[in-house]
Amino acid sequence: MSAMLSVQGVHTFYGHIEALRGIDLEVRKGEIVALIGSNGAGKSTLLMTICGTPQAAKGRVVFDGRDITKVPTHEIMRSGIAQAPEGRRIFPRMTVLENLQMGASSAPPEHFAEDLERALAIFPILKERQGQRGGTLSGGEQQMLAIARALMSRPRLLLLDEPSLGLAPMTVRRIFQVIRDINRQGVTIFLVEQNAYHALRLAHRAYVMVTGTIGMTGTGAELLANREVRAAYLEGGVTEEVVAGGAP
Amino acid sequence: MQKAVAAEAGARLEGGWAEMLRDAASVAAVSIALAIPLVGFHLIDHLSTTQVEFRFGQLFYAVAVIFLGRLGLLLIGAGWARPIASFTSALSLAWLVNSAASAVPVAYPALGWFTFLLAATLAVRGWHTFYRDTAGAAAKARQAGLGAMVSRAAVHLTPFLVLVAVSVPFYAVMADDKRAVDLGILIFTYIMLGWGLNVVVGLAGLLDLGYVAFYAVGAYCYAIVSIELGLSFWESLPLAGALAATFGVLLGFPVLRLRGDYLAIVTLGFGEIIRIILLNWNELSNGPKGIGNIPRPGFFGIAFTASPPEGSIAFHEYFGLDYSPMHRQIFLYYIILVLAMVTNWFTLRIRKLPIGRAWEALREDETACRALGINPTNTKLTAFAIGAMFGGFAGAFFATRQGFISPESFNFLESAIILAIVVLGGMGSQIGVVIAAIVLIGGPEWFRDLELYRMLAFGALMVAIMIWRPQGLLAHRDPTIRLGVAGRGGTP
């Protein structure tokens, strides 16, 4: 099977600090791939390196057979990759509709009405809120807006950075459900998460990141059952969720 | 409810009198220290020697007003908002009526205005407190919605305002008031500059402290091109705009990576560089002596002169009028009106285009913009270029209106005033720029009665705006897109 996105031996530096120490992973067409790991492991850095800010110092990032390692960010984001960034980063003073319009910047304008309808069908709450300013939305709504905005460019690959960050458990479940729906509509998803339980249940395959390297890989179910993973990322704070979680 | 408020106020007053008097007295003491040099001494020319006159009466009066004002402010806080507000409103109204009708002669108008300002402030504060306490949340919501309200009203008001602007010269001719047209030209020049800078600062969020540089480039471009090459105003105008836009890009490149304070410092430096080059490059700009005899624009090739050169015909002859210098002023007024309107129209249109949206998004979050496939380099450079272009147009107009330019006209204060217009008006608000330009440019002209104190009044006004409307007069931002069908439902 051919990889849609492949990261090959990537090293990334922040000044003298080596944040990524040779990462290899791949995302195949139609998959949901999760990347889990603790704070500071380099998950977001990897995602940002794929997007070209910062660029990889060594190694290659290949998307759909094209080497995008040294391509400027805004061009990468026009080539079929979209991102819902960490911390959501919606435009607070612009309305929901304008935010979605900004998401469509790299799509041909004649698709706008159709894409808007599709995005609002996925997130009906945004339809109600469309005239409201982004900054006045709740955290969950802002996350939905960030994902909807990313979808407006008709991406083949959607990068999600910590979509569950700072959200109530109910909302987290709702978001993950939507991510699965989006994937079923044919969008490949690469997901970075600290909420390992939800991410691993959702993902077809997953990677575990430890201080700038890939520690482990396998299917979501395998990793979920793995003793080390359970000890490091699941037991403790998240056990309650394992009990009360139910079907996402 | 009212009774409870009154009772509570009474209770607060019980122990508060001594406290309040002490507070007011300490404020008065500080003001004595400040007022002795400001009000207490007066230099008079007396037979070629200067003497100091002591003005104890006025000093005492000023301090007493401050004492009472402070006491009034405290009483408003203690629940006496209504009586204090009524009294001060009456007082300030009486002063306005008196000064308009000049009924009772006033010995010291400056002190009168000073009292008026304090009384008016107390009145505003008093009524504000009174309505806030009685109406509560509803009043607060109303106040927050002021920007939205004005921008809604502006849609209907625009034709009316344009009509007023168009008819100013008619009034001026009728009343033989040359000053009205001059002031109109001045205000519209600044409105246009404000609208131009609004693209850079208000929409794209790039703090530019050197905007006057583009104004200067436009002015010198017109002056040199028209004198050396003999091009007419309308032929030179696009050149001036294009050259200013080029300088905008030139400034844009080095500051692409800078944000906030650092950007402001570099743009400030750029403004100074242009001014200093103009001051020193004698061959090009004639240095500090400036360039004079800049050609004036003609009416479709017909000159506005009392005695036209041999073989041509002047405006007043062509139309069979008596010669009046006002013809040219009125023509200039309409030129700047049209230029300003074009600027406004352009800005309103471009806000709805992808590039305008990208500017606004860039102001909010540059990283997010890049993640959405927007090229921040091009977006910033177009903002600089377009803002600079309008500055260049305004500069060319300035040169042709004055007939003489020198680097003195393009100092930092100009940049600061233009920026103040944009910021006080409310960043990104078109109508806010108009109001702020009228207040900031027209205000000092109208307050000429205050003489030296007018700059003080100017400062006080700015402080007041920053206290009560820190987001600018009209900080409302209109969405550029709405869905007609289901759109209104969820909008609060």
Side-chain angles (χ1 to χ4, degrees), chain B residues 197 201 207-212 263-265 267-268 271 412 415-416 419:
Chain B
L197 185 61
V201 178
L207 184 53
D208 185 350
L209 291 182
Y211 191 63
V212 80
L263 175 67
I265 292 167
T267 53
L268 174 72
F412 171 65
S415 284
L419 188 68

Side-chain angles (χ1 to χ4, degrees), chain B residues 5 133 248 333 449:
Chain B
V5 171
D133 288 354
Y333 177 85
D449 289 349

Side-chain angles (χ1 to χ4, degrees), chain B residues 7-37:
Chain B
E8 195 195 335
R12 260 186 286 167
L13 274 182
E14 287 292 304
W17 274 112
E19 185 70 24
M20 278 193 266
L21 283 173
R22 205 175 316 134
D23 187 324
S26 68
V27 170
V30 172
S31 65
I32 288 179
L34 285 173
I36 285 176

Side-chain angles (χ1 to χ4, degrees), chain B residues 6 53 66 86 130 182 212 214 223 227 248 333 370 396 420 441:
Chain B
E53 180 196 40
I66 287 170
S86 315
F130 176 67
D182 277 342
V212 80
F214 309 122
I227 291 173
Y333 177 85
R370 218 174 305 149
I441 305 302

